[in-house]
Amino acid sequence: MDNAMTRYFDVVVVGGGAAGLAGALTLARARRSVLVLDSGSPRNAPAAHLHGYLGHDGASPADLLARGRAEVAGYGAEIRSGAAGTAIAADRLPSGGFLVRCGDASTVRAGRLLVATGLVDELPALPGLAARWGRDVLHCPYCHGWEVRDEPVAVLATGPMSVHQAQLWRQWSAHVTLLAHAWHPTDEDRELLAARGVEVVEGEVTGLTVAEDRLTGVTLAGGASAGCRALVVAPRFTARSGVLTGLGLPTTDLVREGQVIGTCVDSDPATGATALAGVWAAGNVTAPLEQLAGAAAQGVHAAVAINTDLVAAETLSALEAHRAGGRAV
């Protein structure tokens, strides 16, 4: 039930990563009342350093977020720990807007929602993989390729996209191996790989070998092994979409080379607007393949669109009051 005494914010931002904080900063600087709900579980938490973000290359992901939170708070926005629970759409509230139930069981009202909850990287089921994720078990060469340049790199084949991964990582190292773990390349694929000097190793991978806290290779079914200093995997990108699906916005399969590699929530690529009026999405929840800088940019674009929408609504309200003989605000 809507309660007039429940605290109101122009915008509630769900998600305190790069996209959410960039959006919150833009909105707070636009003199909007903003609440950020931060679950405290960023996708890049396992990584010691972030890369490719101009001006912050090599920084700690935790330090970047701490600086971002301080900047957002400096403009008067409020940040609360704990994920959002559920949100009730505007047509269920007599006064309009949204009622958001926060992780601490409190509720707030919001004129608009910006959802930047990101995604979860679901890794292949292989013992020891998760513990080394973001260290020497990797996915994105633009994030980690430089750090393992010229080292032996192995690609865990789980689908057609694995050939693309191997060809891509070949840019950073001449020592790339494709492990035919759960998917086997076609003859055409093998010819393409051979043309770049990428070896194909047959056999299911059963585990990792580690020495002095560094990956040295993988073990194969039957007792064979293959050496590598970095293991490339293809996680499934699963959108953290609970708030959005609770509002009736379903997820969409992300398909590459005929293979479903994840889920996302559809939104306008330019503004982040979703199919539900008053709700915007930014970052990996809507663009799973976007990197850190791109996710932050999406947060800014969505924030500008949200502020523009609020200005339009406020102008219409002022016009109606003016025509009724009231004082324009």
Side-chain angles (χ1 to χ4, degrees), residues 211-233:
E212 297 181 353
D213 198 29
R214 185 173 181 185
L215 181 69
T216 59
V218 299
T219 56
L220 305 173
S225 63
C228 63
R229 288 294 191 178
L231 179 63
V232 176
V233 302

Side-chain angles (χ1 to χ4, degrees), residues 282-327:
N284 289 149
V285 70
T286 185
L289 301 182
E290 194 62 80
Q291 296 182 59
L292 189 66
Q298 285 193 344
V300 173
H301 295 160
V304 170
I306 291 170
N307 186 60
T308 299
D309 186 61
L310 286 168
V311 167
E314 291 160 353
T315 300
L316 179 60
S317 179
L319 177 62
E320 291 173 348
H322 176 73
R323 288 175 174 173
R327 184 170 64 88

Side-chain angles (χ1 to χ4, degrees), residues 4-247:
M5 298 302 293
T6 302
R7 191 170 175 192
Y8 174 84
F9 293 89
D10 291 328
V11 185
V12 168
V13 178
V14 187
L21 290 176
L25 181 64
T26 302
L27 288 161
R29 283 179 52 82
R31 308 188 72 179
R32 294 296 177 186
S33 57
V34 179
L35 170 64
V36 178
L37 299 176
D38 183 8
S39 68
S41 54
R43 179 190 180 193
N44 61 359
H49 305 95
L50 60 89
H51 297 287
Y53 196 164
L54 188 63
H56 299 283
D57 189 77
S60 159
D63 288 347
L64 179 71
L65 293 181
R67 288 187 60 181
R69 286 191 290 267
E71 290 171 356
V72 169
Y75 288 100
E78 183 176 330
I79 301 175
R80 295 187 193 176
S81 298
T86 59
I88 300 175
D91 59 1
R92 299 179 191 175
L93 291 179
S95 63
F98 300 87
L99 183 67
V100 180
R101 296 188 178 91
C102 307
D104 60 2
S106 65
T107 58
V108 297
R109 290 182 298 135
R112 306 291 186 271
L113 291 179
L114 172 54
V115 179
T117 42
L119 61 80
V120 175
D121 292 299
E122 296 183 356
L123 302 177
L126 188 63
L129 206 65
R132 308 204 67 79
W133 177 239
R135 301 169 62 193
D136 40 30
V137 173
L138 310 171
H139 165 63
C140 174
Y142 298 102
C143 301
H144 302 286
W146 176 265
E147 283 64 45
V148 295
R149 63 193 183 281
D150 300 325
E151 295 277 13
V153 175
V155 177
L156 188 73
T158 54
M161 286 295 292
S162 299
V163 172
H164 168 72
Q165 281 186 301
Q167 296 284 20
L168 191 59
W169 279 84
R170 177 61 179 79
Q171 173 63 26
W172 281 264
S173 175
H175 314 288
V176 178
T177 301
L178 182 73
L179 305 171
H181 167 68
W183 180 83
H184 299 275
T186 65
D187 290 342
E188 181 181 356
D189 292 330
R190 291 174 187 272
E191 185 177 23
L192 289 172
L193 293 166
R196 295 300 306 276
V198 177
E199 180 186 3
V200 177
V201 173
E202 300 290 344
E204 179 186 358
V205 177
T206 57
L208 310 183
T209 56
V210 177
E212 297 181 353
D213 198 29
R214 185 173 181 185
L215 181 69
T216 59
V218 299
T219 56
L220 305 173
S225 63
C228 63
R229 288 294 191 178
L231 179 63
V232 176
V233 302
R236 178 182 171 89
F237 307 122
T238 301
R240 291 173 172 166
S241 58
V243 172
L244 291 167
T245 54
L247 290 167

